[in-house]
Amino acid sequence: QKEVEQNSGPLSVPEGAIASLNCTYSDRGSQSFFWYRQYSGKSPELIMFIYSNGDKEDGRFTAQLNKASQYVSLLIRDSQPSDSATYLCAVKVVDSSYKLIFGSGTRLLVRP
Amino acid sequence: EAQVTQNPRYLITVTGKKLTVTCSQNMNHEYMSWYRQDPGLGLRQIYYSMNVEVTDKGDVPEGYKVSRKEKRNFPLILESPSPNQTSLYFCASSLGGDTQYFGPGTRLTVL
């Protein structure tokens, strides 16, 4: 059973701090990784995707991938109260072109 | 406006009464998918479709059916709903299988 694990939180950080969200996955051959943000009562929206080991930056967001450790993370710099949401990690199944496994999400709370 | 639409948004029904949740996208995407979201379990894929007339099971297909007769539509059918299918359902579409665009969700309650 392929799995994607996230700490459910809530992760509470003060405004302006760096929020660090973590995700581990069980399928060693996975190649594609995604971070989605979901506000309460809304649908998920894609923030970032990453395919290669290392860091990928997009504005205040940085995705980090370590395939050897089967670990992917999302850093949010200068956190804002509007970043308060649930962040979902998703991993594409190796033997499928369109099958994603989602983690249960980490709830982030940014305190003003 | 590029979007994925779902109907109905809210539905309360009784055990055994067949229902269909519609999903439509206007982005000419090949890939479409259905998920259910339950507290503590996250998003779980029910079925997905790679193109017209091509569908495959996700992780939790039991009790559900789908069809893809047109590229833009991907309805989810519950032939005999049961209370354990009470959930929040999302339809999603994607051009290349990676970036998925989600619909607004359908909250289903089966009594």
Side-chain angles (χ1 to χ4, degrees):
Chain A
Q1 178 74 10
K2 299 176 177 62
E3 294 182 344
V4 176
E5 301 285 343
Q6 295 181 258
N7 189 315
S8 61
L11 172 66
S12 181
V13 301
E15 185 174 354
I18 296 175
S20 178
L21 304 161
N22 304 316
C23 171
T24 59
Y25 58 94
S26 63
D27 191 346
R28 181 168 291 277
S30 298
Q31 299 292 325
S32 305
F33 307 88
F34 308 86
W35 282 101
Y36 285 83
R37 176 176 63 199
Q38 186 176 24
Y39 292 112
S40 180
K42 301 295 184 182
S43 55
E45 55 179 335
L46 182 70
I47 300 174
M48 293 190 70
F49 58 86
I50 185 167
Y51 303 143
S52 304
N53 272 331
D55 294 0
K56 179 181 179 182
E57 188 174 315
D58 184 1
R60 296 187 296 114
F61 298 96
T62 299
Q64 299 176 316
L65 175 61
N66 184 327
K67 291 183 180 179
S69 300
Q70 295 176 239
Y71 176 96
V72 58
S73 64
L74 179 71
L75 302 179
I76 307 175
R77 290 183 298 281
D78 188 24
S79 295
Q80 301 296 310
S82 59
D83 294 326
S84 297
T86 297
Y87 289 80
L88 305 171
C89 173
V91 178
K92 182 179 277 190
V93 172
V94 175
D95 57 354
S96 168
S97 61
Y98 190 54
K99 187 171 180 179
L100 292 185
I101 304 293
F102 281 82
S104 57
T106 298
R107 191 158 70 93
L108 173 67
L109 178 63
V110 181
R111 309 186 305 271
Chain B
E1 179 190 354
Q3 60 182 351
V4 179
T5 57
Q6 293 179 230
N7 282 292
R9 294 289 313 281
Y10 302 91
L11 179 60
I12 299 175
T13 188
V14 295
T15 298
K17 187 176 181 180
K18 182 179 178 180
L19 67 91
T20 299
V21 183
T22 64
C23 173
S24 183
Q25 51 94 2
N26 62 1
M27 295 170 278
N28 201 35
H29 286 169
E30 292 181 342
Y31 298 93
M32 298 186 74
S33 186
W34 276 103
Y35 296 88
R36 62 177 290 174
Q37 188 172 36
D38 303 289
L41 296 178
L43 280 164
R44 292 181 292 168
Q45 195 171 44
I46 303 171
Y47 269 96
Y48 62 99
S49 170
M50 291 152 285
N51 214 326
V52 174
E53 303 291 2
V54 182
T55 63
D56 204 353
K57 296 177 181 179
D59 290 321
V60 288
E62 295 78 19
Y64 304 95
K65 286 177 58 177
V66 293
S67 68
R68 187 94 181 272
K69 292 182 169 46
E70 304 169 281
K71 198 172 187 178
R72 63 183 292 125
N73 296 323
F74 190 44
L76 179 69
I77 303 158
L78 285 73
E79 298 243 337
S80 183
S82 62
N84 64 12
Q85 292 178 297
T86 292
S87 188
L88 178 60
Y89 291 86
F90 288 104
C91 179
S93 75
S94 171
L95 181 61
D98 283 351
T99 304
Q100 297 197 42
Y101 297 88
F102 283 83
T106 295
R107 189 167 291 280
L108 172 66
T109 301
V110 183
L111 302 175

